[in-house]
Amino acid sequence: MPNDTILITGACGQIGSELSQALAQHYGNNNVIITDIRKPDNFQTDLAFEALNVLDGGRLVELVQKHKITHIYHLAAVLSASGEQDPLFAWQINMEGMLNVMQVARERGIKQVYHPSSIAVFGHDTPKNDTPQYTLMNPNTVYGISKLAGERWSEYYFQKYKLDVRSLRYPGIISYKTPPGGGTTDYAVDIFYKAIAGKKYECFLHENSYLPMMYMPDAIRATLELMNAPSDKIKIRSAYNLSAMSFSPKEITQAIKKHIPEFRISYKPDFRQNIADSWPQSIDDSSARNDWGWKPEYDLEKMTEDMIANLAIPTTV
Ligand code: AKB
């Protein structure tokens, strides 16, 4: 739409850095404002950057007014493993940050809000395989608790204030452009950097720890397809289950070894194993498929081939 202007929080993170580029292609470079607590020194972008601490609701209002924002993609969050290091801080960023966005969106007539959720909303007593959309949800990380509360708030703002909030329960996201920070699924990214560097990888999960995962191009496409779907197709306003592939550290090692036969891995599970054990091993995303036509493109083999090809390209600095 010609007059739409997008604001993204957490835009320098793993998903934000790629989603902002995809949104810029869709809406135009001049219509996408990226924000984060600060811009990392090596962060390359053609998009306008504004510093924003998501706890500062006044600054958010100022930016919304200044840039005539119509859509907000709220990605800023503390992830599962980092959250356990300082649970109250994680709660504050994840909950107060989200409520600031919702409140500003309601008061300033924002047309659409995207607030991602995660497989972290599930817990130890959730069915592990083909985890249904609606099931037992007793998360035991502060990240998971905040994402589940965020889902309830999303539905609340939609029902009570007709705010067009949409959300996906992302699995672990694998990508090569910007590294993830502080997640339990990060091993599936770190492992590629070690393999490409010809180094051994010490994995913080055990070899048979299965988790749902997705390659970044699928995650970006899912987000855009969800947000561009006609409103009557969006039947779930908490967050949609979303799935692409599921593998263990042992299986991703085997996939990497097809390209780099000398690659070696060892296992030293730490506190993140308990988090991984509380999450599903695979996800039933039939609601997303039926409601707005979701279909992933990348499986483990295709993703591994693409990751290795892209990481092998030497960077020119
Ligand atoms: C994490 O591991 O915390 C995230 C997630 C699954 O939401 N990648």
Side-chain angles (χ1 to χ4, degrees):
M1 306 283 168
N3 294 326
D4 286 343
T5 311
I6 318 301
L7 182 141
I8 308 168
T9 72
C12 300
Q14 185 198 16
I15 298 175
S17 61
E18 298 204 35
L19 186 59
S20 54
Q21 292 304 324
L23 287 167
Q25 274 183 6
H26 191 78
Y27 290 96
N29 277 14
N30 294 336
N31 296 322
V32 176
I33 309 298
I34 63 170
T35 77
D36 212 310
I37 188 97
R38 72 186 71 81
K39 186 159 77 160
D41 290 341
N42 57 354
F43 192 81
Q44 310 274 341
T45 181
D46 295 332
L47 306 176
F49 176 86
E50 298 269 17
L52 172 67
N53 178 342
V54 290
L55 298 180
D56 187 349
R59 170 80 175 142
L60 182 58
V61 172
E62 188 188 307
L63 294 179
V64 165
Q65 284 176 329
K66 177 178 166 190
H67 296 286
K68 300 188 174 46
I69 298 299
T70 56
H71 294 55
I72 301 179
Y73 285 68
H74 176 47
L75 304 181
V78 179
L79 298 187
S80 57
S82 303
E84 295 311 293
Q85 308 310 312
D86 192 345
L88 294 185
F89 175 70
W91 180 256
Q92 193 186 23
I93 294 288
N94 294 0
M95 269 350 295
E96 281 181 35
M98 187 227 185
L99 286 172
N100 277 341
V101 168
M102 293 293 184
Q103 219 25 40
V104 171
R106 174 165 95 85
E107 287 168 2
R108 303 282 148 177
I110 294 295
K111 287 192 206 164
Q112 249 194 345
V113 174
Y114 180 66
H115 173 256
S117 186
S118 160
I119 54 165
V121 293
F122 299 112
H124 278 292
D125 47 7
T126 301
K128 290 272 170 245
N129 293 305
D130 288 332
T131 300
Q133 175 71 38
Y134 299 106
T135 183
L136 277 174
M137 298 169 86
N138 292 312
N140 62 352
T141 60
V142 70
Y143 173 65
I145 300 169
S146 69
K147 285 294 176 190
L148 182 54
E151 289 192 6
R152 303 316 311 145
W153 276 113
S154 296
E155 197 170 302
Y156 185 90
Y157 269 79
F158 172 72
Q159 282 176 350
K160 189 149 184 170
Y161 305 118
K162 304 284 168 261
L163 185 64
D164 185 358
V165 191
R166 304 183 184 193
S167 180
L168 297 170
R169 290 175 182 151
Y170 286 134
I173 306 291
I174 297 152
S175 67
Y176 57 87
K177 289 185 182 158
T178 307
T184 302
T185 57
D186 292 9
Y187 91 85
V189 178
D190 301 343
I191 194 169
F192 281 102
Y193 283 88
K194 287 284 192 257
I196 286 289
K199 293 188 178 152
K200 185 177 170 186
Y201 181 61
E202 185 176 272
C203 186
F204 55 76
L205 299 183
H206 68 62
E207 62 179 353
N208 292 321
S209 193
Y210 279 85
L211 285 170
M213 300 279 185
M214 180 173 282
Y215 197 34
M216 184 66 90
D218 272 342
I220 299 295
R221 190 169 51 79
T223 308
L224 298 183
E225 285 178 6
L226 172 82
M227 296 303 276
N228 291 326
S231 204
D232 62 329
K233 299 270 184 213
I234 307 301
K235 312 258 191 262
I236 295 173
R237 292 293 178 159
S238 49
Y240 276 95
N241 273 7
L242 189 71
S243 164
M245 61 183 107
S246 181
F247 57 77
S248 63
K250 189 173 171 181
E251 285 181 355
I252 192 173
T253 301
Q254 283 160 355
I256 291 173
K257 273 164 152 296
K258 286 186 190 156
H259 303 265
I260 308 172
E262 62 282 10
F263 176 58
R264 294 285 172 269
I265 186 167
S266 60
Y267 300 94
K268 195 174 175 199
D270 64 18
F271 74 100
R272 289 168 282 193
Q273 185 63 58
N274 186 42
I275 300 178
D277 288 344
S278 74
W279 289 353
Q281 298 190 347
S282 61
I283 298 284
D284 172 2
D285 63 356
S286 46
S287 294
R289 289 174 190 250
N290 294 335
D291 290 0
W292 44 275
W294 168 241
K295 195 167 181 287
E297 275 179 15
Y298 286 86
D299 60 11
L300 176 59
E301 303 302 321
K302 197 170 164 193
M303 178 272 290
T304 303
E305 194 178 326
D306 202 64
M307 279 292 284
I308 290 176
N310 280 289
L311 286 173
I313 299 168
T315 46
T316 47
V317 187

